[in-house]
Amino acid sequence: MQYKTGVATAALLSATALAANSTTSVPSSCSIKSGSTVTAQAQLDQYSGCQSLVGDLNIGGDSLTGSASLANVEEIDGSLNVVNATQLVSFAADKLSSISGSLSMKQLTLLQSASFGSLQEVDTIQFITLPAISSIATNLKSLNSLEISDTNLESIDGFNNLETVTDFNVNNNKNLAKIDSKLKSVSDSLQVGYNGDEADVKFDNLVWANNITLRDVSSASFAKLTKVNQSLGFINNSIESLNLSVGTVGGTLTVVSNDDLTDLDFSNLTSVAGGVVVANNSKLSNIDGLSKLQTIGGALTVIGNFSVLDLDSLKSVKGGADVETKSSNYTCDSLKKLQKNNAIQGDAFVCKNGATSTSIKLSSASGSETASESSASSGTKTATASTISSKSSSSKSSGGAGAQMAPVSFMGAVAAVAVALL
Ligand SMILES: *[C@@H]1O[C@H](CO)[C@@H](O)[C@H](O)[C@H]1NC(C)=O
Ligand SMILES: *[C@@H]1O[C@H](CO)[C@@H](O)[C@H](O)[C@H]1NC(C)=O
Ligand SMILES: *[C@@H]1O[C@H](CO)[C@@H](O)[C@H](O)[C@H]1NC(C)=O
Ligand SMILES: *[C@@H]1O[C@H](CO)[C@@H](O)[C@H](O)[C@H]1NC(C)=O
Ligand SMILES: *[C@@H]1O[C@H](CO)[C@@H](O)[C@H](O)[C@H]1NC(C)=O
Ligand SMILES: *[C@@H]1O[C@H](CO)[C@@H](O)[C@H](O)[C@H]1NC(C)=O
Ligand SMILES: *[C@@H]1O[C@H](CO)[C@@H](O)[C@H](O)[C@H]1NC(C)=O
Ligand SMILES: *[C@@H]1O[C@H](CO)[C@@H](O)[C@H](O)[C@H]1NC(C)=O
Ligand SMILES: *[C@@H]1O[C@H](CO)[C@@H](O)[C@H](O)[C@H]1NC(C)=O
Ligand SMILES: *[C@@H]1O[C@H](CO)[C@@H](O)[C@H](O)[C@H]1NC(C)=O
């Protein structure tokens, strides 16, 4: 055991008692009948002689009115589920320090406060549909999975001291104004979204996460983020400036529909193993924050009204490229050069600005007879914007083919290539 010398004997004894086989040390009155539901405070009081409870403690129903509490219990070897206790206004279990399973508080329409003042360890927390709650107290140090959804919380301070979790999902909390987390890693997914769109979000200790998606936040700070193992996405936020030190993204990087974004600085980013999508950020006119990006494992998609797109370090794009801007100041020259050098390896290539048309390259015979020319550059074909464009310029496309036909002819061409390669 990891107890240091000098710890009082009493503490050692109680620690040993806690660590002992709980099924044998817990009296039968502290063992919860499986499938049962507590519906009255008197039933909770029956557990007041128990330091440990074994089994799942389910609390629910409309006969628990006002306050309810679980006194004295320090440990639950099982889960604590408070679900659909429709008249419950407050709940407290302030001696409880550990729950081996989950702590779920769901569909508690009147619940205003929940207090778990000693709670340090839980596997999973779900606080879902708590429309009246304004405070949740905990002292959590260890947790795997956190989901806080559809609550009235303005902050989630009780969860700010955690250093590592598997999942962190905070969504649909319309009054949430702030998250200031000390998390250092998230081994599965970090999702913050659909909360009030004024939320300021800080994960300044986070070094890596498997997946990150932020939506509807007004600012985001990730001072130490160096790696995202899978995908990283910023969608529909009101963030004005996004400054990330991240060096590698193991999946797709998505920065889409952030209407206030004027500054994108990902100047340590060298590699993205999936696609890169930077699109519909209406105020982002100068995209110079991707200048160290060298490799893209998927396709490159940049769509918007930008006059600068600096991809000066780019050496390899495994997929195609679709770069479209309304600005005539951007020139496709450098991108076309990359394509010509086979740095852009995918079949589809579109580069378009406000002034010029689009081109598409098919890497082998484009739907015609000969498949044998496959990778030879003589198979290159150029089409005009009107036959393939599907995005921004459909209404003003001047070619004969209708805009609606465009994706079909594009997919047809891709399919033809696929067939030719068989
Ligand atoms: C706990 O005690 C029960 C009953 O004596 C036994 O079956 C079980 O294997 C024990 N578990 C552990 C982890 O020691
Ligand atoms: C919640 O409790 C109310 C009142 O006790 C009951 O009518 C309703 O069916 C319950 N809802 C669920 C989803 O269990
Ligand atoms: C990462 O996020 C993507 C997109 O949301 C999802 O498809 C994928 O399953 C996630 N992976 C993990 C391990 O959570
Ligand atoms: C993600 O990357 C970090 C940092 O390189 C590594 O320690 C971690 O094991 C990886 N996690 C997963 C789930 O692959
Ligand atoms: C952005 O949010 C609006 C409304 O909140 C929604 O209609 C739209 O689909 C969202 N866009 C994306 C890309 O998620
Ligand atoms: C981003 O952060 C780095 C390091 O803190 C700093 O040097 C750089 O100026 C910042 N960029 C923007 C656009 O704020
Ligand atoms: C890039 O990383 C270096 C150290 O690895 C750091 O000093 C610098 O601030 C980072 N730049 C940005 C823009 O975060
Ligand atoms: C950008 O916005 C247009 C029109 O609102 C939409 O059709 C397109 O799918 C969006 N692109 C991305 C990558 O979200
Ligand atoms: C594109 O941006 C320029 C300024 O950078 C602006 O004048 C113009 O209205 C924008 N066009 C569209 C279609 O958003
Ligand atoms: C486009 O270039 C012209 C000439 O260099 C410049 O005056 C204008 O400000 C630029 N527009 C944008 C949106 O960068």
Side-chain angles (χ1 to χ4, degrees):
M1 292 184 71
Q2 66 269 52
Y3 291 95
K4 294 191 178 108
T5 52
V7 173
T9 315
L12 258 179
L13 282 177
S14 74
T16 313
L18 274 177
N21 186 334
S22 44
T23 26
T24 54
S25 65
V26 168
S28 63
S29 60
C30 298
S31 185
I32 301 166
K33 192 161 154 260
S34 101
S36 62
T37 298
V38 165
T39 57
Q41 178 64 45
Q43 288 171 285
L44 286 174
D45 290 342
Q46 285 171 5
Y47 296 124
S48 62
C50 303
Q51 190 187 42
S52 284
L53 284 180
V54 175
D56 296 336
L57 179 57
N58 301 311
I59 300 174
D62 55 7
S63 56
L64 268 170
T65 55
S67 306
S69 62
L70 181 65
N72 302 332
V73 175
E74 292 174 17
E75 180 188 51
I76 295 178
D77 186 0
S79 295
L80 172 55
N81 304 310
V82 188
V83 178
N84 198 26
T86 52
Q87 304 302 310
L88 193 63
V89 176
S90 72
F91 183 80
D94 281 321
K95 291 271 173 58
L96 193 56
S97 76
S98 96
I99 299 174
S100 68
S102 55
L103 168 59
S104 299
M105 313 262 310
K106 296 186 192 171
Q107 296 156 258
L108 306 172
T109 41
L110 298 183
L111 191 77
Q112 291 172 8
S113 70
S115 181
F116 301 94
S118 306
L119 191 59
Q120 299 199 12
E121 276 185 64
V122 192
D123 181 69
T124 299
I125 282 187
Q126 289 185 307
F127 289 142
I128 299 175
T129 313
L130 309 176
I133 196 121
S134 56
S135 90
I136 296 177
T138 83
N139 185 23
L140 271 179
K141 298 201 167 71
S142 166
L143 174 68
N144 275 317
S145 173
L146 176 66
E147 180 175 2
I148 300 180
S149 175
D150 190 16
T151 75
N152 194 36
L153 293 171
E154 286 174 24
S155 71
I156 54 166
D157 294 345
F159 305 94
N160 286 345
N161 291 324
L162 293 166
E163 295 197 341
T164 173
V165 294
T166 54
D167 290 279
F168 184 98
N169 186 345
V170 176
N171 69 79
N172 289 288
N173 304 286
K174 298 302 177 197
N175 291 321
L176 190 75
K178 178 172 92 109
I179 297 176
D180 187 354
S181 165
K182 295 195 174 65
L183 281 173
K184 291 179 177 165
S185 67
V186 177
S187 59
D188 200 339
S189 142
L190 166 51
Q191 313 260 349
V192 177
Y194 311 103
N195 299 297
D197 56 11
E198 297 301 316
D200 290 313
V201 166
K202 272 193 194 160
F203 289 91
D204 280 342
N205 291 342
L206 191 70
V207 175
W208 68 270
N210 189 49
N211 253 4
I212 300 178
T213 309
L214 295 194
R215 289 175 181 265
D216 310 303
V217 310
S218 69
S219 72
S221 176
F222 290 88
K224 297 197 177 122
L225 187 66
T226 58
K227 180 174 172 189
V228 176
N229 308 52
Q230 295 200 29
S231 56
L232 172 62
F234 296 90
I235 299 164
N236 239 350
N237 298 287
S238 51
I239 297 171
E240 289 172 14
S241 169
L242 197 51
N243 192 349
L244 249 62
S245 54
V246 68
T248 63
V249 173
T252 297
L253 170 65
T254 307
V255 181
V256 168
S257 298
N258 302 288
D259 284 340
D260 298 321
L261 191 65
T262 53
D263 243 324
L264 182 71
D265 188 349
F266 288 3
S267 54
N268 277 356
L269 184 64
T270 55
S271 122
V272 175
V276 170
V277 183
V278 178
N280 292 355
N281 305 291
S282 49
K283 291 187 187 158
L284 191 61
S285 62
N286 183 346
I287 308 178
D288 60 358
L290 296 169
S291 61
K292 297 276 165 55
L293 185 56
Q294 295 178 9
T295 58
I296 298 176
L300 169 68
T301 306
V302 186
I303 294 168
N305 182 15
F306 51 90
S307 47
V308 173
L309 172 61
D310 181 346
L311 295 170
D312 283 355
S313 303
L314 197 57
K315 293 191 180 75
S316 165
V317 179
K318 288 267 159 38
D322 181 1
V323 171
E324 301 178 34
T325 178
K326 289 172 190 144
S327 163
S328 51
N329 281 27
Y330 174 72
T331 86
C332 291
D333 294 353
S334 60
L335 209 67
K336 280 180 178 156
K337 204 166 139 201
L338 283 170
Q339 187 219 9
K340 212 165 146 234
N341 298 338
N342 286 323
I344 295 172
Q345 293 147 36
D347 290 339
F349 180 81
V350 174
C351 188
K352 185 162 107 172
N353 65 21
T356 64
S357 68
T358 317
S359 68
I360 178 170
K361 176 203 174 195
L362 300 176
S363 65
S364 77
S366 59
S368 56
E369 326 76 46
T370 46
S372 51
E373 299 187 317
S374 61
S375 61
S377 58
S378 61
T380 301
K381 224 188 166 185
T382 305
T384 60
S386 59
T387 60
I388 61 131
S389 123
S390 61
K391 295 245 156 50
S392 51
S393 71
S394 52
S395 59
K396 64 175 187 204
S397 80
S398 53
Q404 285 85 345
M405 299 287 288
V408 175
S409 59
F410 173 71
M411 290 315 289
V414 170
V417 171
V419 167
L421 290 172
L422 284 176

